[in-house]
Amino acid sequence: TRNNFTFIQHDVTRELPLLGRVDYIFHLASPASVVDYQKYPEETALVNSQGTQMLLKYAKTYSAQFLFASTSEIYGDPLEHPQKETYWGNVNPNGVRACYDESKRFGEMMTMQYVRTHDLDARIIRIFNTYGPRMRKTDGRVVSNFINQALEERPLTIYGDGKQTRSFCYVSDLVDGIMKAMFSLKTKGEVFNLGNPEEYQVIELAKKIKTMTQSQSSIVFNDLPKDDPTRRQPN
Ligand code: UDP
């Protein structure tokens, strides 16, 4: 505890400690990097399903406002482009990414169910690719990988042919969006895509980072991971 701030380390799939008062719950407790959730697939599936239900129950106890951090991954390999909030997605239900995609979809369902059944003041955000300061160096995501590789003059590892696209949001913009989704009026029961609509091919990103860091690194092409979405852009 420091400056009115108390940090409690707790597994949200287990019964939560009772507190005097809870006003707002931001549920962001899940690995989000492909590398991380592949390492902990069952834990990832449970924190987004069982963990979400546990926190919704908790929010109901305190009549707290609730925000569930979902993901652009719930669109799978999208057939609609750019992705609107009303799109249902194209997801492999039992593939290697399903521990993440399907548990986030379950979490969305349960969040909306609590709005309908229990009149809970809850909303869903779908976070698209995000980058910025204090990202872990070994996060495994494309932006941090390329920057580290470029700075260390190692080859930039493109997965597949690099023609797949992503749209990258700066972290402080994402945080603004998260705050607005929670604290604006009439957000109860709403779903928000949060991301930057400018779309880049992965190979364009590699070249841009090479130029910006003035790196002599080469670019190598590795195998594309399974079920890697070909396009992603929030509407
Ligand atoms: N990627 C890549 N090289 C890397 C890391 C990722 O080419 O070193 C690709 C990855 O295959 C995907 C895109 O970059 O098409 C974004 O991957 P990331 O893991 O950053 O986020 P995702 O959108 O897959 O959650």
Side-chain angles (χ1 to χ4, degrees):
T1 301
R2 191 166 55 182
N3 301 334
N4 279 337
F5 184 90
T6 305
F7 176 73
I8 303 168
Q9 186 166 6
H10 188 81
D11 175 355
V12 296
T13 64
R14 292 163 196 268
E15 211 63 52
L16 294 147
L18 290 175
L19 301 169
R21 173 182 153 191
V22 177
D23 298 321
Y24 302 98
I25 296 175
F26 296 82
H27 176 19
L28 294 117
S30 170
S33 167
V34 183
V35 178
D36 289 337
Y37 68 68
Q38 299 293 6
K39 197 163 153 208
Y40 299 104
E42 290 181 36
E43 290 84 349
T44 301
L46 287 174
V47 77
N48 287 307
S49 52
Q50 196 178 319
T52 303
Q53 200 213 351
M54 200 64 97
L55 286 167
L56 284 162
K57 227 167 70 185
Y58 197 71
K60 194 190 155 201
T61 306
Y62 291 98
S63 298
Q65 277 183 229
F66 188 88
L67 177 143
F68 177 56
S70 184
T71 166
S72 53
E73 289 264 316
I74 65 102
Y75 298 118
D77 192 5
L79 303 177
E80 180 181 300
H81 195 78
Q83 293 81 52
K84 289 201 208 89
E85 283 87 346
T86 47
Y87 179 48
W88 294 349
N90 176 38
V91 175
N92 179 349
N94 52 37
V96 290
R97 289 176 176 246
C99 60
Y100 188 62
D101 303 356
E102 290 292 12
S103 65
K104 287 288 189 189
R105 290 171 71 94
F106 180 98
E108 288 204 10
M109 174 278 293
M110 199 54 102
T111 302
M112 281 309 186
Q113 206 48 56
Y114 265 72
V115 175
R116 287 188 205 104
T117 314
H118 304 288
D119 200 31
L120 191 75
D121 190 341
R123 72 276 296 126
I124 294 165
I125 57 165
R126 295 185 182 142
I127 302 177
F128 283 64
N129 297 65
T130 302
Y131 71 99
R134 304 190 65 183
M135 201 167 178
R136 276 179 309 158
K137 192 175 174 190
T138 55
D139 184 82
R141 246 77 73 92
V142 68
V143 175
S144 46
N145 276 9
F146 285 177
I147 291 175
N148 285 308
Q149 291 162 346
L151 292 177
E152 292 160 16
E153 302 288 349
R154 290 186 287 121
L156 271 57
T157 53
I158 290 188
Y159 303 158
D161 61 9
K163 299 237 171 75
Q164 72 270 37
T165 68
R166 293 293 187 275
S167 310
F168 301 98
C169 184
Y170 193 66
V171 62
S172 57
D173 292 337
L174 176 75
V175 172
D176 279 350
I178 294 176
M179 302 302 264
K180 283 183 177 157
M182 179 67 105
F183 297 116
S184 304
L185 294 173
K186 298 187 179 168
T187 52
K188 178 177 172 182
E190 293 291 330
V191 181
F192 302 98
N193 282 341
L194 295 185
N196 185 315
E198 266 175 57
E199 188 181 0
Y200 291 91
Q201 288 187 337
V202 166
I203 190 149
E204 291 177 289
L205 177 75
K207 288 179 183 158
K208 190 169 188 130
I209 288 176
K210 261 193 67 158
T211 310
M212 290 175 80
T213 54
Q214 297 176 349
S215 167
Q216 302 303 312
S217 291
S218 60
I219 291 181
V220 295
F221 295 88
N222 296 345
D223 289 343
L224 188 68
K226 236 184 146 287
D227 295 330
D228 196 280
T230 45
R231 309 203 290 174
R232 192 181 283 157
Q233 184 195 22
N235 180 313

